[in-house]
Amino acid sequence: MLYYSTRDASSSPRMVTAAEAIKEGLAPDGGLYLPETIPALTEADFDALLSMDYPERAAFLLSKYLTDYDPALLLEDCRAAYAPEKFPEPDDPADFGQRPAPLHPLADGITALELWHGPTSAFKDMALQIMPRLLSRALVMTGERRTAQILVATSGDTGKAALEGYRDVEGVAITVFYPTGGVSPMQARQMQTTRGSNVNVVAVRGNFDDAQNGVKRIFADRELAEEADLCGFFFSSANSINWGRLAPQIAYYVSAYLDLVNAGRIRMGDEVNAAVPTGNFGNIFAAYLAREMGVPVKRLICASNRNDVLTDFIQTGVYNREREFYKTVSPSMDILISSNLERLLRVLGGSALTRDLMASLAKTGKYEAPEELMEKIRSAFSGYSLDEAGTLSVIGETWKDEGYLIDPHTAVGLGAVRKYREETGDPLPVILASTASPFKFAAPVSAAIGLEEAEGGLYDGLRRLSSATGRPIPAPLAETETLPLRFERVIDPAGMAGVPFEH
């Protein structure tokens, strides 16, 4: 399996191996890497996957895309990445299915796919525990002797998950940029207290798009790349623009469907819908790839918060980032430039159109997709958004009616499901991506379920929420209370280019 750039419209596009794509992160022309084909799962594949545990499933699916990797080593890496000490068994007796991504049944045929049982209590762990292993092997496979300088822009969870995955990994250094005031207090605390000798964390004045654009400018700067080479390192990415980050996410959608079959909640071949709260479009694009591989997902429900650029695009065909930016209670979705949407545009619209649309976005801040392309997109995707009041209402109702505590991002997804069903009457079962522990957002969750604001600081709020709900504070969050703050630096976006050279 070879990979090409989404923006390479030449008659003979540059093709690279999976290892090269993972090492580079972003293509030289600024595009994102895609596999030359989307592999199809056969009936025999599904039968075999049913009896596998999660690491086996993940390795099997990754081997379909990473054909230059040794399948035995992929399985070894998946077993290490998803080991019980990193993803312990869930403590809710209602949960079922495979750890590390168990399922929790909700009313009306909705099932929450809990992706937050890992080292940082967010779904990003599902990819970022395996991705460093994929990169390390890629460095060896490509004969790379330089240090890989990982650059990450985060709207909250990716940063800490990447830091945790890459800390003290040989041959790698990592720098994370996050927007000032644009992450939750717990997300900031997690990043600021990160351990490791090869890590750096810097806050950027502005929003997530300012941080993400700064990272993209570094990748696109040839002079910086040459300077980095002279210093003995090269730039790569741990954001979902890197194929090594996105590919592992396909596995949990396939696994969720199989777990529903094994639990007798659906039969093999039954259609389901999938709902994904997303800002950067990577998580839902992974669900789309699972669908294209053969998982019978009828509709992909794309859920946005008040920053509803994706909802508007799906509904109107116009992508316009030139709009007011809102800081919300679901900060990991506070994004106006959804990078992974580019991959969908390429799959359904071709390279030339994708290149032109991306050029328009860079130049004018918007683009309008042709109706023929939008018909293809709408045949698979529906887009809905939830405002702040709606998000808090869903959290409160879910706790009151079902005794199930959810975070604001999951609430946006659940609210989108309800809007979709009201509009369409579609009764199909739904797999809902639950993307973070509610304790990462203790203040809004507490307010939503009727708790008065706790006196004291962040950790008093965590303890109050735990006491009121009977749910334990996840250990990765509790431990940050006693860890020293290491990274409190704040810079302007213009200063980002110099930071990687400080390692």
Side-chain angles (χ1 to χ4, degrees), residues 35-352:
E36 55 189 334
T37 60
I38 299 173
L41 295 173
T42 66
E43 183 177 342
D45 288 337
F46 279 109
D47 288 342
L49 285 161
L50 276 172
S51 60
M52 295 181 186
D53 62 19
Y54 189 90
E56 289 172 325
R57 290 173 179 174
F60 181 91
L61 295 164
L62 283 172
S63 70
K64 297 286 187 179
Y65 289 97
L66 312 183
T67 55
D68 49 332
Y69 282 68
D70 184 332
L73 294 179
L74 280 176
L75 178 57
E76 177 184 313
D77 288 343
C78 286
R79 289 216 178 278
Y82 302 119
E85 57 268 24
K86 294 186 176 183
F87 292 87
E89 292 288 346
D91 54 18
D92 191 325
D95 286 357
F96 66 97
Q98 295 274 8
R99 179 198 55 78
L103 300 169
H104 185 95
L106 298 173
D108 302 320
I110 301 170
T111 303
L113 170 58
E114 294 182 346
L115 301 171
W116 40 264
H117 291 284
T120 72
S121 301
F123 85 96
K124 310 297 175 70
D125 292 324
M126 296 296 296
L128 283 164
Q129 281 299 302
I130 183 66
M131 184 185 177
R133 299 173 187 275
L134 300 179
L135 176 61
S136 292
R137 296 205 184 277
L139 297 179
V140 174
M141 292 162 67
T142 59
E144 183 59 67
R145 297 184 179 276
R146 295 170 297 172
T147 297
Q149 170 58 254
I150 306 296
L151 302 180
V152 178
T154 185
S155 54
D157 289 328
T158 289
K160 177 57 179 176
L163 290 162
E164 190 66 25
Y166 279 101
R167 68 181 174 99
D168 294 327
V169 172
E170 187 176 353
V172 175
I174 179 169
T175 298
V176 170
F177 299 98
Y178 71 93
T180 53
V183 301
S184 78
M186 176 53 74
Q187 289 171 321
R189 180 81 184 191
Q190 283 186 290
M191 288 186 282
Q192 291 170 337
T193 58
T194 296
R195 290 163 288 192
S197 60
N198 64 336
V199 303
N200 193 16
V201 180
V202 180
V204 177
R205 295 183 182 93
N207 58 38
F208 169 74
D209 293 323
D210 295 317
Q212 181 169 250
N213 287 335
V215 168
K216 287 184 176 180
R217 282 193 295 270
I218 294 173
F219 278 121
D221 192 320
R222 292 184 181 275
E223 290 185 5
L224 276 180
E226 292 173 0
E227 185 178 350
D229 182 60
L230 291 173
C231 295
F233 67 89
F234 69 96
F235 299 123
S236 190
S237 172
N239 285 89
S240 56
I241 57 175
N242 190 312
W243 182 252
R245 159 75 184 282
L246 196 146
Q249 296 179 260
I250 301 168
Y252 50 71
Y253 291 108
V254 179
S255 186
Y257 185 86
L258 297 169
D259 285 345
L260 287 172
V261 172
N262 280 335
R265 295 176 182 269
I266 60 174
R267 293 173 298 180
M268 182 65 78
D270 286 352
E271 286 189 321
V272 299
N273 294 325
V276 185
T278 186
N280 214 10
F281 207 75
N283 202 6
I284 199 166
F285 186 71
Y288 171 80
L289 290 174
R291 178 183 188 267
E292 294 304 293
M293 292 179 75
V295 179
V297 176
K298 179 185 176 184
R299 301 296 298 174
L300 292 157
I301 302 168
C302 181
S304 302
N305 63 15
R306 199 178 178 192
N307 294 296
D308 54 358
V309 64
L310 284 169
T311 304
D312 283 353
F313 172 69
I314 292 171
Q315 293 179 355
T316 70
V318 176
Y319 191 100
N320 185 0
R321 75 180 190 200
E322 299 300 317
R323 60 178 66 208
E324 187 171 355
F325 177 87
Y326 299 102
K327 292 183 178 181
T328 73
V329 295
S330 48
S332 295
M333 300 161 64
D334 290 347
I335 294 171
L336 296 180
I337 304 175
S338 305
S339 294
N340 273 284
L341 183 58
E342 181 173 342
R343 284 189 163 111
L344 182 68
L345 298 178
R346 170 57 185 87
V347 169
L348 297 179
S351 295

Side-chain angles (χ1 to χ4, degrees), residues 48 130 153 214 217 276 333 349 361 391 463 471 483:
I130 183 66
R217 282 193 295 270
V276 185
M333 300 161 64
L361 182 66
T391 301
R463 286 185 280 269
R471 309 305 300 163
L483 293 175

